[in-house]
Amino acid sequence: MGHPFPIREIARQAGLSEATVDRVLNGRGGVRDSTAQEVRRAIADLDRQRTQVRLVGRTFMVDIVMQSPERFSTAVRAALEAELPALHPAVVRSRFHFRETGPADGLTGVLDRIARRGSQGVILKAPDVPGITEAVGRLAAAGIPVVTLVTDLPTSARVGCVGSDNRAAGATAAYLVGQWLGERPGNVLTSLSSGSFRNEEEREMGFRSTMRARHPRRTLVEIAEGQGLDTTQYDLVRAALDHDPDIRAVYSIGGGNIATLRAFEDAGRECAVFVAHDLDHDNARLLREHRLSAVLHHDLRHDLREACHIVMRAHGALPPAGPTLPSAIQVVTPYNMPPGTVAG
């Protein structure tokens, strides 16, 4: 396990004791495989970040905790690490805690471990449930500021929220779907990964209210709890298509778009309009292939830069600022892909 990093630095990155890291690095045994994997991940994170780390100024260790499909968490990691060189006046180092699905107590356990071992800040994407809100309160009591990313926890002790205006995004999706369907008959499938994420709930409300106002005779068919994962999403979409022969369009709020398209193909059905969120590697490829009509996108790098600034302000490293404004919503088609977009 060759590396150029001191044991103290690896231990801090991994959130483990120096003695444990020493045992892992020297193969002395007495540690679990999962602990050895944490040490390897810490070394990999340090290796990615070492060219971005400044040796001057104040250093902040920030934990990024997310429940999200891998395609989105990968996009968040890349966006944050791309922003690290520009985060003045401080140096920001990051630890990542990602999972795709699972009960809320798994995330609360992660947050409580961070509260015990210490951190300069937490950037959090999590369901809006009481256990998570209470864990955010415990972090705040420990002096650790929490910034919510993409989806908010408005009744918690978080110090800020970054992301787009989700109601406006849902209304934009309704406008696009309605314009593109025109006078053609057909129902619209709306797909949420989970009703526990406030951002998805707000997008759905914006979509539904705008469709009701502009296209009151258009029927909306909702599916939920696919967690944005292809394995579960396919069955939900296929069941909806089998039950409703008039579905002709999709507003994908929570992802799993490859599975959704496969369900349409396997059912021998056309998807005339498909509007999705986030220009991750899956959606970039689907858009280039003209299998998506449009992707509603916002600049993750901007969001993460602002999240880090909020953490710095909470510690007095930056002067106070006004309220954080929502990120601009971009309607991306196959013909205006942002520079540097990479298809998966």
Side-chain angles (χ1 to χ4, degrees), residues 3-268:
H3 61 85
F5 308 110
I7 287 177
R8 178 179 299 177
E9 191 77 359
I10 298 169
R12 186 178 186 214
Q13 179 74 24
L16 300 169
S17 70
E18 293 181 31
T20 298
V21 172
D22 183 73
R23 285 198 298 274
V24 172
L25 295 179
N26 292 287
R28 294 198 180 96
V31 293
R32 293 173 294 185
D33 288 342
S34 60
T35 302
Q37 290 172 8
E38 288 179 30
V39 172
R40 286 192 286 271
R41 281 196 297 269
I43 292 172
D45 287 342
L46 287 169
D47 191 55
R48 277 196 311 276
Q49 297 171 24
R50 63 177 171 170
T51 59
Q52 303 163 328
V53 171
R54 307 289 196 273
L55 296 179
V56 295
R58 189 168 172 181
T59 299
F60 287 83
M61 179 64 77
V62 176
D63 289 270
I64 295 83
V65 182
M66 294 177 57
Q67 180 169 311
S68 171
E70 179 274 336
R71 59 183 175 271
F72 186 71
S73 57
T74 296
V76 167
R77 181 195 290 264
L80 177 61
E81 292 183 345
E83 280 299 305
L84 291 181
L87 288 170
H88 298 294
V91 175
V92 175
R93 303 287 293 277
S94 51
R95 293 185 292 229
F96 300 96
H97 315 267
F98 295 156
R99 69 172 194 171
E100 290 198 303
T101 187
D105 56 6
L107 277 182
T108 58
V110 172
L111 297 174
D112 285 340
R113 285 194 295 274
I114 293 170
R116 287 194 297 270
R117 78 183 180 203
S119 176
Q120 277 71 55
V122 171
I123 299 173
L124 176 64
K125 179 183 181 295
D128 185 9
V129 297
I132 299 294
T133 297
E134 292 162 5
V136 171
R138 291 189 288 273
L139 285 163
I144 300 172
V146 176
V147 182
T148 53
L149 173 67
V150 177
T151 184
D152 199 11
L153 303 170
T155 63
S156 73
R158 56 91 168 130
V159 296
C161 175
V162 295
S164 62
D165 182 331
N166 289 299
R167 283 181 180 265
T172 301
Y175 175 80
L176 295 173
V177 170
Q179 289 291 106
W180 282 331
L181 276 180
E183 298 303 316
R184 290 178 291 175
N187 299 336
V188 181
L189 181 69
T190 64
S191 171
L192 294 84
S193 73
S194 172
S196 297
F197 286 100
R198 182 170 288 266
N199 68 320
E200 295 191 18
E201 180 184 58
E202 291 173 345
R203 290 172 182 175
E204 194 273 340
M205 288 190 291
F207 184 82
R208 187 174 293 276
S209 63
T210 303
M211 288 294 291
R212 187 183 302 118
R214 295 178 59 88
H215 309 282
R217 292 188 296 276
R218 189 79 68 183
T219 299
L220 306 183
V221 179
E222 181 180 313
I223 59 173
E225 304 307 321
Q227 306 302 322
L229 304 177
D230 289 340
T231 51
T232 48
Q233 182 73 3
Y234 177 89
D235 292 337
L236 290 170
V237 176
R238 188 60 191 269
L241 293 175
D242 290 344
H243 183 262
D244 188 335
D246 296 323
I247 294 173
R248 290 177 54 84
V250 172
Y251 173 38
S252 175
I253 300 171
N257 301 326
I258 290 175
T260 297
L261 287 165
R262 189 171 73 249
F264 270 86
E265 292 165 0
D266 290 351

